[in-house]
Amino acid sequence: MKRYFTSESVTRGHPDKICDQIADRILDEILVQDPQAHVACEVTCTVDQVHIFGEITTTAEVDYEGTARKVIREIGYTEHGRGFDADTCAVRVYFHEQSPDIAAALMRKQDILDMGAGDQGIMVGFACRETECLMPLPIELAHALTKRLEQTRITGELPYLLPDGKSQVTVEYENGTPSRVSAVVLSCQHRDKVKTETLRNEVTKHVIYPVIPEYLIDEDTQIFVNPAGRFVTGGPAGDSGLTGRKTVSDTYGGYSRCGGGSLSGKDASKADRSGTYMARYIAKNIVAAGLADKCEVQLSYAIGLTEPIAVMVDTFGTGKMPDEDLCRHVLKNLDLRLTAIIRRFGLNNPMFSAVSCYGHFGSNAVNMPWERTDLSKILY
C-alpha cells in the first residue's frame, strides 16, 4: 500500500520566522538577567515595520528595539531600498505586565514546585524510527533543504540568493516505510538579474542534490525550483509575518497531531513551551527504549493546576506493551509538574534562539535537553 506525505520548512528570512526569531531573542536576553521572568512576546512585521508587543513581567533591562534590529541584520536584511532592512525599518514596542489574575494562578502555592500552569492547553510530542534523530523523514529533509539554501547564500556559493525561501518535500511510503522522495519544491528569493533557468539549474545542483540522499531520488522524482518563476520581492516587503504561524513546521511537519499553542516568545512557565518539550521527551524515550516504533504523547494542563489533567500515550499498534501500561510507567517515573519540567531541562536559561528556526526537535535541536534519551533505560 502506497501513501504520500508532505512537509514544509522556511528559511530564517521568511516573514513569520523573522518574528519568531525576534521573540525568542528577546526572551533569551531577558532570561540572561532574570531567569524568573514571565514573558509572552508577540511580533509582527510588514513593509518597513516591526511591531513588538505582549506581556512581560521582569526586572531585566533589555533594548527591545536594538535586539530586533540585530536579529534582522543577522538574518541578512541589510540592503536599503528593498522594502525592509535592519537600519531603516520602524520598530515599535508595546509591552505591559502580565495579568495579575494569571500571576496569582501561577504563584498561589507555597511550594514553588507546585506552581500552577499559566493557562489551559494541550501539548503533543512525537517520535518514530524513520530517522536517526527519531523524527519523521519529510520534515527532516525539508529543514535540511532550507538550511542548505541559507548556507549557499551566506557563503556566496549562490551569490544572487536573498534571505526569504521555502521548501516542501513529499515522501512516498510503502506499507508505512519511506521508499522514495516523489517531489521537492524549493522557492528562493533572488536578485533580479539572475535568469530563472540558471537559478533552477544551480539550486538543484548545489542545494537539492547535496541534501536528498541519492537512494531516495529516481527518474520519477519531480523537482520544482521557483515554480512560479520570478521571486525578487520577498520577506516582509512581500508578505506580512507573525509569531507562531509556523507551528507545524516547528514541530513534526504535520506528521503528528499538533498542540493548541505556538512556542516562540514564551517563557517556560507557559505549558505551551515546557509541556510540548516534555511530550517530545517522553515520546522519544519510549521509541529509543525499543518500547515502540512510533509514539505520540499528549499532555493537557489547566490554568492554576499543578499536574496535567490528562496524559495519553498512543503507539499506533507498534508498542511492546499496552499503551495504558506505558502511560502508567511514564507517570511513575516522571514528575510532570511544570516547575519540575523547567528544572529538569533548565528551561529558565537562555537557549531558545537556537531553535527559533528549523525546528524545535530532531537534528536542529540535537543538543537540547529535551532531546536526550537518558530516560529510555529507566522506561525499559
Side-chain angles (χ1 to χ4, degrees):
M1 175 180 167
K2 290 184 180 181
R3 71 180 182 95
Y4 298 84
F5 195 87
T6 304
S7 292
E8 74 162 1
S9 174
V10 298
T11 64
R12 294 179 67 205
H14 185 279
D16 294 333
K17 274 294 145 195
I18 294 172
C19 297
D20 286 341
Q21 289 168 94
I22 292 172
D24 273 339
R25 184 69 64 84
I26 286 173
L27 171 61
D28 279 351
E29 291 292 327
I30 290 171
L31 292 177
V32 168
Q33 302 177 44
D34 181 10
Q36 305 307 318
H38 293 296
V39 180
C41 177
E42 304 290 351
V43 182
T44 63
C45 64
T46 185
V47 181
D48 281 332
Q49 295 180 55
V50 173
H51 296 254
I52 306 169
F53 57 99
E55 301 83 44
I56 292 182
T57 302
T58 183
T59 59
E61 296 184 4
V62 173
D63 178 1
Y64 300 120
E65 178 181 339
T67 299
R69 293 191 188 280
K70 183 177 181 181
V71 170
I72 295 165
R73 188 172 295 109
E74 290 173 358
I75 291 170
Y77 286 103
T78 57
E79 297 182 25
H80 298 187
R82 290 191 172 276
F84 188 80
D85 69 83
D87 295 319
T88 66
C89 70
V91 179
R92 296 179 173 87
V93 180
Y94 311 93
F95 280 129
H96 60 271
E97 289 195 342
Q98 185 181 53
S99 158
D101 294 337
I102 295 176
L106 284 169
M107 301 307 298
R108 65 188 180 192
K109 309 290 185 180
Q110 288 187 351
D111 185 348
I112 189 65
L113 276 172
D114 286 328
M115 178 184 77
D119 198 357
Q120 69 179 49
I122 56 172
M123 299 83 214
V124 176
F126 182 79
C128 63
R129 294 196 177 281
E130 292 183 10
T131 59
E132 287 186 8
C133 59
L134 304 185
M135 286 285 286
L137 181 61
I139 188 62
E140 278 291 299
L141 291 177
H143 285 322
L145 283 171
T146 47
K147 276 188 172 181
R148 174 63 185 162
L149 184 65
E150 182 173 56
Q151 182 184 27
T152 59
R153 174 181 65 85
I154 291 173
T155 62
E157 190 173 349
L158 298 178
Y160 47 76
L161 292 181
L162 292 170
D164 198 359
K166 302 177 74 172
S167 69
Q168 189 170 286
V169 178
T170 302
V171 173
E172 180 183 297
Y173 289 77
E174 289 191 21
N175 299 318
T177 301
S179 60
R180 57 186 287 271
V181 170
S182 66
V184 176
V185 181
L186 205 56
S187 295
C188 38
Q189 185 189 12
H190 59 87
R191 299 183 185 278
D192 54 7
K193 292 185 179 180
V194 64
K195 294 181 179 179
T196 299
E197 183 180 357
T198 300
L199 181 142
R200 286 173 173 165
N201 290 336
E202 293 189 350
V203 167
T204 300
K205 177 181 178 182
H206 293 279
V207 178
I208 296 175
Y209 286 153
V211 167
I212 306 296
E214 188 175 349
Y215 70 90
L216 290 176
I217 297 180
D218 58 29
E219 60 184 9
D220 295 322
T221 298
Q222 301 180 82
I223 294 177
F224 304 96
V225 177
N226 284 24
R230 177 183 171 93
F231 182 11
V232 173
T233 302
D239 194 7
S240 60
L242 175 65
T243 41
R245 207 156 55 178
K246 286 293 177 283
T247 306
V248 169
S249 176
D250 284 340
T251 53
Y252 308 102
Y255 198 98
S256 168
R257 280 164 281 205
C258 193
S262 62
L263 298 169
S264 290
K266 299 175 180 178
D267 75 273
S269 71
K270 279 71 174 173
D272 284 334
R273 183 148 228 162
S274 49
T276 299
Y277 291 162
M278 176 53 82
R280 161 64 176 174
Y281 178 70
I282 296 169
K284 185 175 183 180
N285 275 272
I286 286 173
V287 173
L291 295 172
D293 293 329
K294 183 187 297 185
C295 182
E296 183 179 86
V297 173
Q298 184 192 74
L299 306 177
S300 61
Y301 290 86
I303 187 167
L305 299 186
T306 301
E307 303 275 359
I309 59 174
V311 178
M312 182 207 71
V313 175
D314 186 352
T315 60
F316 306 95
T318 70
K320 302 303 186 288
M321 65 175 73
D323 291 343
E324 310 88 78
D325 292 346
L326 266 176
C327 190
R328 282 193 291 268
H329 206 27
V330 166
L331 290 171
K332 179 181 177 181
N333 286 282
L334 277 176
D335 189 341
L336 298 180
R337 293 177 294 176
L338 287 185
T339 303
I341 295 172
I342 292 168
R343 287 187 178 182
R344 186 183 195 100
F345 297 146
L347 297 180
N348 54 3
N349 292 303
M351 62 174 71
F352 302 110
S353 297
V355 291
S356 56
C357 194
Y358 304 124
H360 291 248
F361 310 116
S363 58
N364 188 56
V366 66
N367 295 318
M368 290 299 171
W370 56 85
E371 286 293 301
R372 294 193 296 248
T373 54
D374 54 330
L375 186 67
S376 58
K377 292 180 180 179
I378 298 172
L379 290 176
Y380 192 80

